Amino acid sequence: MSTRSTLAKVKNDIYQPYLARIVKVLPQIQDHLLFQLKFEDPRMASNFTHRPGQFVELSVIGSGEAPVSISSSPTRPGIVELCVRKTGRVTNALFRLPLNALVGVRGPYGNGFPIDKLEDNNLLIIAGGLGMAPLRSLLWYALDNRTKFKDIILMLGAKTPGEILFKYELLKLIDRPDMKCLLTVDKDEEGIWKAHFGVVTKLFDYVELDPATTYAALCGPPIMYKFVLKELLKRNFSKDRILMSLERKMKCGVGKCGHCSIGYKYTCIDGPIFTYWDAINLPEMVE
Amino acid sequence: MLFYQNLRRDLVKTMQILKLDKKNLNEFIFSLNDFGEVHAPVKKGDKQFVFSKLTDFSKIKLEYTRTILPPKKYFHPPTDTLFKFSQEEGYQSLTEELRKKYVIFGLHPCDIYAIKILDLIFAGEFVDDRYFIRRKNVAIIGLDCIPDDKCFCRSMRADFVEDGFDLFLSDIGNSYLVRVGTGRGDDMVRKTQDLFKEVNKKDITEYKRRSDEKKNLFKVDIELSDLPEIMDLEYESKVWEEIGKECLSCGSCSMVCPTCYCYDVFDEINLDANHGVRKRQWDSCLFKDYALVAGGHNFRAERSLRVKNRFFHKQRGFVAQYGRPSCVGCGRCIEACPAKIDIIEVINRIRGAKL
């Protein structure tokens, strides 16, 4: 390739959003929607793949760009599912879009979960709040590759049944014999909740965990991390076997713009998945 | 076989160094217009300098101290329009501006070093082509300098450069020694071959004398070797809070820093609400909304945290990532800070030095 031809155009523009169509919108809890997107370019649609835990930069034409973790599993290609909370300028604009509208998508970005390491181990997924959005990708990846994993356990905590993301999908998993799905809520004013009550750490009473052969994957609000980490360390989990998905402000997604720095790592390329060991060694994580 | 051995011997020969008589400098600079629009340091106001398009040779200031903005503006412009977009056509890259060719004359070693640091950032796993296309289209002609009381490039090991330039000029009295760093530099020299002479023994002696002399001209010095450890130890130091109280969060230090690269990305939409452009613009980690996420949480709401983050990223984090600080000691932040925060003083305070 001569220099001259590279001068002429940007061959491989890392900031280029690709058009994707909103093919379906599934209501979740209040202010949360699950968007199913399909790339317009058939080649992109069939080639796009990701690791669970990765994210995309989503553009709403005219409103800007925002990072959103991918909720679908790479084992189910063709459609990219993004679970979005209506919270800022871009997401508010997204919620106003009609079905079949076009959005821009680039990615996937971030390290994602270290799938190779997780395989042949027990997998303990612990979610709180919106934390299920990235963890759902990991959960379905593991369930769709069931033989590659030993025990699969999901622990999820929410304030009320009405605040559980993917509630009906997860309720169905309770009956699945090849995994343990533990769901707990603080309270249920309607009085119909049949699963667990109490904080998510109470669910540890219902499982036997071998820290030497188990990886824990966490995503949730800071308060959840605090108590869950304590519980895992009490059970002698190595800090290297605790994986957490962290959030920061992101703009470029490709390690250039600086916004998502934690200490001197960039959440967008060094994360968003960090081991607990890595996380406590990031200066700014001491909070 | 012998041919290749000879060729190899020829290739590993050291960098080509020539001599340019000072009276031929204008003619040489004029010839550079064939390689791009020539920009050079010129005076702005009473005391300041800027890199600007050279329209009049008499305006060029070869003995300038430092320019207000560093040369990063040529590769990573203050505002850069990335895409135009519309509902129908999606996002289309805008590349017109990237093609313009420049020759920047008179970059000091610290500024050349800073560009080499920016190269690290814009390369990596995701290569920023916009940066590197511009980089290829901008020729760099370095010029040595005399340090003033704000220069600490020597402490930052950026007072000499071995590469990163097409040509590098060192003053040896009546002429310049000209190091030829690239094929493009060689093209420039060959275009005006008659202006260049061979370097003799006397020139070398004079170069060494001046180089030696320069080392003694630095008035400030920072000890770098154990700085990362000391910064870790002083992470909770109240010095950061004190500086946080002084700092105005204006971001001037970031704007003038030759290695600060952070940028914001935003869309501008036309009144038809259907067409617009996506831009990126220099940002500063000192701005209050820098780490503010949708929903209202700010990861660095306090000014002291933002100040600390900036110093840590430059002097500590970059060492962890790339083996050296990202600071090159150009002194621009010292000159630009309206609150008179002086990086040398900050580091000395952290080190516990008596002031």
Side-chain angles (χ1 to χ4, degrees), chain A residues 15-16 256 258-259 266 284, chain B residues 91 123 126 128 261 283 300:
Chain A
Y15 305 108
Q16 174 76 53
K256 316 287 182 212
H259 286 85
Y266 284 144
E284 291 191 308
Chain B
Y91 296 82
F126 297 95
D128 189 313
Y261 50 84
D283 200 352
R300 278 185 219 104

Side-chain angles (χ1 to χ4, degrees), chain A residues 29 37 43 58 72-73 125 133 154 159 189 229 248 257 272 279:
Chain A
I29 61 176
L37 307 179
R43 236 181 1 177
L58 173 72
S72 49
S73 164
I125 297 174
L154 170 69
K159 280 185 199 137
E189 274 156 12
L229 288 168
R248 281 295 183 274
C257 82

Side-chain angles (χ1 to χ4, degrees), chain B residues 157-296:
Chain B
R157 288 154 206 162
D159 51 338
F160 287 94
V161 278
E162 301 85 44
D163 56 10
F165 50 80
D166 294 286
L167 297 173
F168 193 95
L169 276 59
S170 305
D171 192 338
I172 52 163
N174 291 327
S175 42
Y176 292 104
L177 281 197
V178 180
R179 281 189 281 163
V180 185
T182 61
R184 179 166 51 191
D186 184 54
D187 291 345
M188 291 169 171
V189 166
R190 286 210 322 233
K191 194 152 181 7
T192 47
Q193 206 145 24
D194 298 343
L195 303 180
F196 291 88
K197 291 190 193 121
E198 295 254 328
V199 171
N200 61 38
K201 277 241 163 73
K202 226 179 80 194
D203 300 330
I204 296 172
T205 311
E206 179 59 10
Y207 177 85
K208 290 199 285 192
R209 190 190 67 76
R210 281 168 177 260
S211 173
D212 227 36
E213 200 178 74
K214 182 177 167 180
K215 288 176 201 163
N216 301 323
L217 293 174
F218 287 93
K219 296 181 183 73
V220 277
D221 189 26
I222 299 175
E223 177 57 48
L224 263 196
S225 52
D226 57 353
L227 191 57
E229 288 83 347
I230 290 185
M231 290 192 78
D232 285 348
L233 290 165
E234 293 293 353
Y235 190 77
E236 301 297 338
S237 166
K238 65 178 192 320
V239 168
W240 302 117
E241 276 168 49
E242 290 163 18
I243 300 165
K245 279 179 198 148
E246 298 163 27
C247 173
L248 303 171
S249 272
C250 71
S252 295
C253 51
S254 308
M255 302 301 135
V256 303
C257 177
T259 64
C260 266
Y261 50 84
C262 286
Y263 60 83
D264 191 19
V265 186
F266 57 92
D267 286 1
E268 275 177 6
I269 189 147
N270 296 354
L271 286 174
D272 68 0
N274 196 25
H275 296 74
V277 287
R278 172 160 296 169
K279 290 182 172 178
R280 65 172 163 193
Q281 189 167 58
W282 289 357
D283 200 352
S284 171
C285 56
L286 293 170
F287 292 159
K288 188 161 189 182
D289 61 356
Y290 184 82
L292 174 73
V293 293

